[in-house]
Amino acid sequence: MAKETLPITPDLLKSPYQKIINASASVFDENHGRSFFSAPFYETIEPYLKEVLTHPIDLECDLNTAKKKNRLTPLKKLFKACFNTEEILIVNNNTSAIFLIANALMQEKEIIVSYGELVGGNFNLKDILLSSGARLHLVGNINRAYLRDYRLALNENSKMLFKTHNPHFKKDTPFKDLQTLAKEHELIDYYNLGDVDLLNKAALEEILALKPSLLSFSADKLFNSVQAGIIMGQKEWVEALKNHPLYRALRVGKITLTLLFHSLKAWANHQEDITICALLNQTKDALLQKALKLYALLKPLELNVSIASSFSKIGNLPDRELESFCVKIQPKNTRALNGEKLYLKLFQKGIIARISCEFVCLEVFSLNEKDFEKIALILAEILNKA
């Protein structure tokens, strides 16, 4: 008997994702898709993206020799020029990079890592490492790990000294000292940049200058690119990762490679049309002017409206708060429509705000003029129906 076919309703055929207006205090947040391109930047790369999407391309064929090539070859040249690294590999995110490294190199071997760095950071990092078949040897405590703690932990099963960038924890042994210890005992030294600050070139350059065995980071976090995990380091170890069967499951496709290439190119050329650059370069005065413009549009509505100073937060970085302003609104008739209901109605319309003391706060950090107009129109519509 044939199975009954379930009806495909119009709701099922709607695009699953839609544009939002981010009037929240969180910028480049995972909930909102993290990084995104500016309109001018997208217009620049759209012809290249169109070719990749609408035609066969030379992804793994060398047009000069008529032989098969590595799909990463064009990007390798640019990455090596930008970062002066020996070898690179690209996977679908930084968690994949950590998982691949642990699986390919650390089966039944021991990774020595600071306990404090694993606490308060990425909550599942410990599970990811353990699921690879590696053994974890935690050193130090929640407050500090000294070099002697790492030294005392060394044994015949030790193979890697692992340091993860944890902005919550700043009292661990410098990577340079760990690297010296690793070389003394012929171990792998691996630095996971993880939650590095967006566009913090100094943090990356400092580690790269030490020539670590391995280094990994997120492309979307570091230079406002598409989601991808970048692995850099010594050829011996990167080649071992490339030849591991798991790499095929974690490698990226042609669209990611195309977007990654062009965003890295823009980053290398210091182009200001990269969205993260434009937002981070906003002055306090410019932010105040944005708040005043939004205030002027909302003032005629049936709302209590005021401007307040505020802070916007970059991703999940606790120590990167940016001074900004918000426009606080509250319906004049709170019996018909209170702050919580207004917040929810705005959310349902794709306007993501925050609520504080019965006021809905519209943070201006990520907003533009078109956003102001749409917010005003939607608020007018909500108030008319209340």
Side-chain angles (χ1 to χ4, degrees), residues 37-50 258-259 262-263 265-266 271 273-274:
F37 299 142
S38 67
F41 179 70
Y42 177 77
E43 288 167 8
T44 302
I45 66 172
E46 194 273 338
Y48 303 100
L49 192 57
K50 183 178 179 181
T258 301
L259 294 172
H262 288 286
S263 51
K265 179 182 172 182
Q271 289 182 7
D273 60 358
I274 299 177

Side-chain angles (χ1 to χ4, degrees), residues 213-349:
S213 302
L214 291 168
L215 162 73
S216 72
F217 60 86
S218 299
D220 56 335
K221 290 180 182 178
L222 195 76
F223 53 89
N224 193 191
S225 184
V226 67
Q227 177 183 292
I230 311 299
I231 302 171
M232 298 179 180
Q234 296 170 7
K235 190 176 181 67
E236 171 191 0
W237 302 117
V238 178
E239 285 290 324
L241 302 178
K242 187 182 75 173
N243 294 327
H244 192 272
L246 187 59
Y247 167 61
R248 188 172 181 85
L250 301 176
R251 68 180 183 175
V252 296
K254 60 184 182 180
I255 298 172
T256 296
L257 292 174
T258 301
L259 294 172
L260 185 58
F261 175 84
H262 288 286
S263 51
L264 178 59
K265 179 182 172 182
W267 182 82
N269 290 333
H270 309 289
Q271 289 182 7
E272 292 301 311
D273 60 358
I274 299 177
T275 303
I276 181 63
C277 289
L279 289 178
L280 292 182
N281 289 336
Q282 294 178 106
T283 64
K284 194 171 181 180
D285 184 61
L287 290 165
L288 177 57
Q289 292 304 313
K290 287 170 73 171
L292 288 168
K293 287 179 182 178
L294 181 57
Y295 173 88
L297 283 173
L298 303 187
K299 185 63 177 172
L301 302 178
E302 287 296 309
L303 293 166
N304 296 317
V305 188
S306 60
I307 295 175
S309 60
S310 63
F311 289 91
S312 287
K313 181 173 172 287
I314 294 289
N316 56 347
L317 302 176
D319 56 351
R320 189 63 192 269
E321 288 188 329
L322 306 165
E323 287 187 85
S324 185
F325 294 91
C326 69
V327 176
K328 298 171 66 176
I329 59 173
Q330 183 187 50
K332 289 182 176 178
N333 184 356
T334 54
R335 290 184 179 180
L337 184 67
N338 62 25
E340 287 188 6
K341 287 181 180 178
L342 178 59
Y343 166 80
L344 181 58
K345 286 181 180 295
L346 285 170
F347 207 101
Q348 290 168 344
K349 294 287 186 178

Side-chain angles (χ1 to χ4, degrees), residues 45-76:
I45 66 172
E46 194 273 338
Y48 303 100
L49 192 57
K50 183 178 179 181
E51 282 192 359
V52 168
L53 290 169
T54 61
H55 296 87
I57 61 168
D58 59 336
L59 183 64
E60 292 189 357
C61 59
D62 190 324
L63 299 182
N64 294 318
T65 63
K67 294 180 179 178
K68 186 178 176 65
K69 73 173 182 184
N70 187 318
R71 64 175 59 193
L72 299 185
T73 297
L75 274 79
K76 278 187 177 184

Side-chain angles (χ1 to χ4, degrees), residues 174-185:
F175 182 66
K176 185 177 181 180
D177 296 343
L178 291 186
Q179 190 178 47
T180 301
L181 181 62
K183 287 179 179 178
E184 286 177 11
H185 296 271

Side-chain angles (χ1 to χ4, degrees), residues 5 14 21 113 118 122 126 130 140 193 211 226 230 248 286 295 318 341 345 349 357 361 367:
T5 304
K14 288 181 180 178
I21 293 176
V113 59
L118 292 185
N122 191 337
K126 182 179 177 182
L130 289 173
L193 267 171
K211 302 293 182 184
V226 67
I230 311 299
R248 188 172 181 85
Y295 173 88
K341 287 181 180 178
K345 286 181 180 295
K349 294 287 186 178
C357 300
C361 300
L367 302 181

Side-chain angles (χ1 to χ4, degrees), residues 56-170:
I57 61 168
D58 59 336
L59 183 64
E60 292 189 357
C61 59
D62 190 324
L63 299 182
N64 294 318
T65 63
K67 294 180 179 178
K68 186 178 176 65
K69 73 173 182 184
N70 187 318
R71 64 175 59 193
L72 299 185
T73 297
L75 274 79
K76 278 187 177 184
K77 294 176 182 177
L78 182 57
F79 266 101
K80 288 180 180 181
C82 287
F83 301 110
N84 190 28
T85 186
E86 194 173 313
E87 193 58 89
I88 74 136
L89 200 64
I90 301 171
V91 289
N92 53 29
N93 58 28
N94 191 54
T95 302
S96 297
I98 297 167
F99 189 61
L100 176 61
I101 289 168
N103 270 274
L105 304 177
M106 299 304 301
Q107 287 284 335
E108 301 301 319
K109 294 294 182 180
E110 203 170 81
I111 300 171
I112 301 177
V113 59
S114 162
Y115 174 77
E117 285 184 345
L118 292 185
V119 173
N122 191 337
F123 69 93
N124 61 357
L125 181 54
K126 182 179 177 182
D127 293 335
I128 290 164
L129 292 168
L130 289 173
S131 66
S132 69
R135 300 171 185 170
L136 290 188
H137 193 142
L138 302 181
V139 298
N141 55 45
I142 196 167
N143 296 314
R144 181 131 198 166
Y146 294 95
L147 183 62
R148 65 173 178 267
D149 296 323
Y150 290 89
R151 192 181 294 278
L152 289 170
L154 293 173
N155 61 74
E156 64 276 8
N157 288 318
S158 303
K159 190 175 180 182
M160 176 184 287
L161 296 183
F162 176 64
K163 185 171 181 64
T164 185
H165 182 86
N166 185 342
H168 300 264
F169 183 78
K170 299 180 179 179

